[in-house]
Amino acid sequence: MTHGTAHPGGTPALRLTVLVGEQDTWHHKPLYAEIVHRARAAGLAGASVFRGIEGFGATSLIHTQRLLSLSEELPVAVVVVDTGERVRSFLPQLDELLTDGGTVTLDPCERITYPRTGGTAPEEGGRG
């Protein structure tokens, strides 16, 4: 379905994905929340956290939320998309935060930004 406008090419960007456990902490708060807080403080374009329903990591133990095998160590992904320069300048902060483990991936991508319409300010915690 088209809306009568052609999409111009997106701008080159870099997608940073940080994979950690839901129960991983940094100074008694969730590690994923600290990553988001620092990404915002660093002026990155935005960060989103996605909770996995099943996965395994270096230990090869499968963590799941299905049925009675509820796990407290579900995978969580923090995703940031911004310019390559800005994302790479954020990596030293992850060096500090991931001393107990985690996985970071970097993927080149294109970013197409759709501006908000309607004149209302975005709500805290909304999509970014």
Side-chain angles (χ1 to χ4, degrees):
M1 179 169 111
T2 62
H3 296 286
T5 59
H7 289 285
T11 57
L14 193 62
R15 178 177 50 237
L16 163 72
T17 304
V18 184
L19 302 170
V20 296
E22 186 176 32
Q23 296 299 313
D24 293 346
T25 60
W26 176 260
H27 294 215
H28 307 292
K29 71 186 262 190
L31 178 59
Y32 62 84
E34 181 66 16
I35 294 169
V36 169
H37 173 80
R38 289 191 183 201
R40 184 175 187 190
L44 293 170
S48 297
V49 179
F50 300 93
R51 182 177 188 235
I53 58 171
E54 185 168 86
F56 72 93
T59 63
S60 294
L61 295 174
I62 294 180
H63 303 285
T64 183
Q65 74 169 17
R66 287 180 290 137
L67 303 174
L68 298 176
S69 42
L70 289 173
S71 172
E72 295 181 355
E73 189 58 12
L74 293 170
V76 175
V78 182
V79 178
V80 174
V81 177
D82 207 323
T83 65
E85 179 181 337
R86 291 175 76 174
V87 167
R88 289 186 187 282
S89 70
F90 185 65
L91 293 178
Q93 296 212 44
L94 296 178
D95 291 343
E96 177 187 355
L97 294 173
L98 299 178
T99 56
D100 287 336
T103 300
V104 175
T105 62
L106 297 171
D107 303 290
C109 61
E110 288 185 46
R111 181 173 71 183
I112 300 172
T113 303
Y114 294 86
R116 291 186 178 271
T117 58
T120 58
E123 292 182 27
E124 188 70 28
R127 66 185 177 131

